[in-house]
Amino acid sequence: MSGWRCVVVGMVLMLGASDVFGQRRAFDLTTPRPIEALDTVWIEEMTWMEVRDAIKAGKTTALIVAGSTEQNGPYVATGKHVYVLRATADAIARSLGTALVAPAIPFEPGAVSSTPGTIQVRESTYDALIEDEAESLKANGFAHVVLIGDSGGNQRGLARVADKLAPAWAGSGVSIHYIKEYYDSWAAADAAWDSLGVPKTLDEGIHDDYSVNSIIATVDPEKIRFSQRQKAGKASVNGQTLLPLDTTISNGKKLVEIRAGITVAAIRQALLQK
């Protein structure tokens, strides 16, 4: 086949493919979901049809949640902040009633560390990742994007991205908000220890505490190595016992409620001021 015939045939095929893709997208966007939706607020656990229908049903706020992968003492998994977010972000989204949670970001910015298990990224990489995730959610059809970070190292990057995108998105109908109150709610959780009957008696200096342990226990006790610790007689932190486990989980749920309540109030206030 001569060169010009190849070009013509190629153009026809491309146009045909474009038409097919256009029809397929129209079909996808209008086709009813063939099965009942899963009861989850986590986008990564949903089918794309479930996300589409959730947005149509009013879940127009997307939470970008940031954690870290870092050294956290001898008993707690390096993904500590991500596991905390599995509890707190879930509670926040369900309490809001209009939100879904984007896949958690497991890194925070910082210098490369030699500590085994600590993984950090450059500030420029971190900011770009947050920004791209936010832009994706905006393109998906969400009306509000909310940024929260569970680790101290998350905060400046989240604030920078919100400050950058807020004016860029002005007039688009989509807002973005960094909610500092979420990270600050760690202090409220720690302040509740006495009321739970677990006052702190010492400081082991191991980058670990009761709030972390009890909240993660609501997700998976083995992420705080509960079975191994109990067997080794180490089922405590800073003098605060983790026994019995049911009590620790119950207390963790109360701390999740405290943190979620503070955050939900701040998000609602931010959306009123958009």
Side-chain angles (χ1 to χ4, degrees):
M1 185 181 296
S2 66
W4 68 269
R5 288 192 177 91
C6 288
V7 173
V8 171
V9 170
M11 291 177 64
V12 170
L13 289 174
M14 288 176 64
L15 289 171
S18 176
D19 184 57
V20 169
F21 291 145
Q23 291 178 1
R24 180 181 300 171
R25 178 169 176 77
F27 175 78
D28 285 344
L29 293 178
T30 57
T31 301
R33 190 178 64 248
I35 56 175
E36 183 180 353
L38 182 70
D39 180 16
T40 182
V41 294
W42 293 85
I43 290 174
E44 68 209 66
E45 295 178 353
M46 305 170 76
T47 68
W48 77 267
M49 283 185 166
E50 289 170 342
V51 177
R52 175 200 66 187
D53 294 348
I55 294 172
K56 288 182 179 179
K59 294 188 184 297
T60 55
T61 297
L63 306 181
I64 292 181
V65 300
S68 67
T69 304
E70 62 181 48
Q71 179 272 335
N72 289 298
Y75 311 120
V76 178
T78 58
K80 172 182 80 176
H81 290 292
V82 173
Y83 299 124
V84 169
L85 284 162
R86 291 301 297 189
T88 55
D90 193 280
I92 291 164
R94 291 183 185 277
S95 180
L96 283 169
T98 57
L100 298 179
V101 188
I105 295 171
F107 309 117
E108 65 181 8
V112 174
S113 172
S114 61
T115 304
T118 298
I119 303 173
Q120 296 178 313
V121 297
R122 287 170 289 182
E123 283 192 350
S124 58
T125 300
Y126 185 79
D127 289 12
L129 178 59
I130 302 295
E131 183 175 344
D132 286 350
E133 187 170 12
E135 292 285 5
S136 292
L137 294 166
K138 178 174 180 283
N140 284 179
F142 289 96
H144 312 288
V145 176
V146 171
L147 313 180
I148 63 174
D150 201 65
S151 178
N154 302 138
Q155 308 311 309
R156 288 186 297 175
L158 296 176
R160 280 194 303 267
V161 172
D163 288 343
K164 177 182 178 180
L165 292 183
W169 289 6
S172 70
V174 182
S175 66
I176 186 166
H177 310 271
Y178 161 60
I179 304 299
K180 179 178 179 292
E181 289 84 352
Y182 172 77
Y183 179 70
D184 291 345
S185 70
W186 271 122
D190 294 348
W193 293 345
D194 280 337
S195 68
L196 298 177
V198 285
K200 184 176 179 179
T201 59
L202 58 92
D203 187 346
E204 298 175 84
I206 57 173
H207 192 195
D208 196 5
D209 63 37
Y210 187 83
S211 293
V212 166
N213 281 255
S214 58
I215 290 174
I216 294 179
T218 71
V219 177
D220 181 358
E222 295 317 306
K223 295 297 186 294
I224 60 169
R225 301 298 187 266
F226 179 79
S227 296
Q228 294 94 324
R229 291 167 75 172
Q230 185 177 27
K231 182 178 179 181
K234 301 289 186 180
S236 66
V237 57
N238 297 326
Q240 297 158 303
T241 183
L242 301 177
L243 298 172
L245 179 60
D246 286 347
T247 298
T248 296
I249 291 174
S250 176
N251 287 341
K253 290 178 178 178
K254 293 173 184 176
L255 298 185
V256 168
E257 289 178 4
I258 289 171
R259 298 196 66 195
I262 291 170
T263 307
V264 167
I267 291 172
R268 287 176 173 158
Q269 184 63 32
L271 296 186
L272 287 175
Q273 298 174 351
K274 68 180 182 67

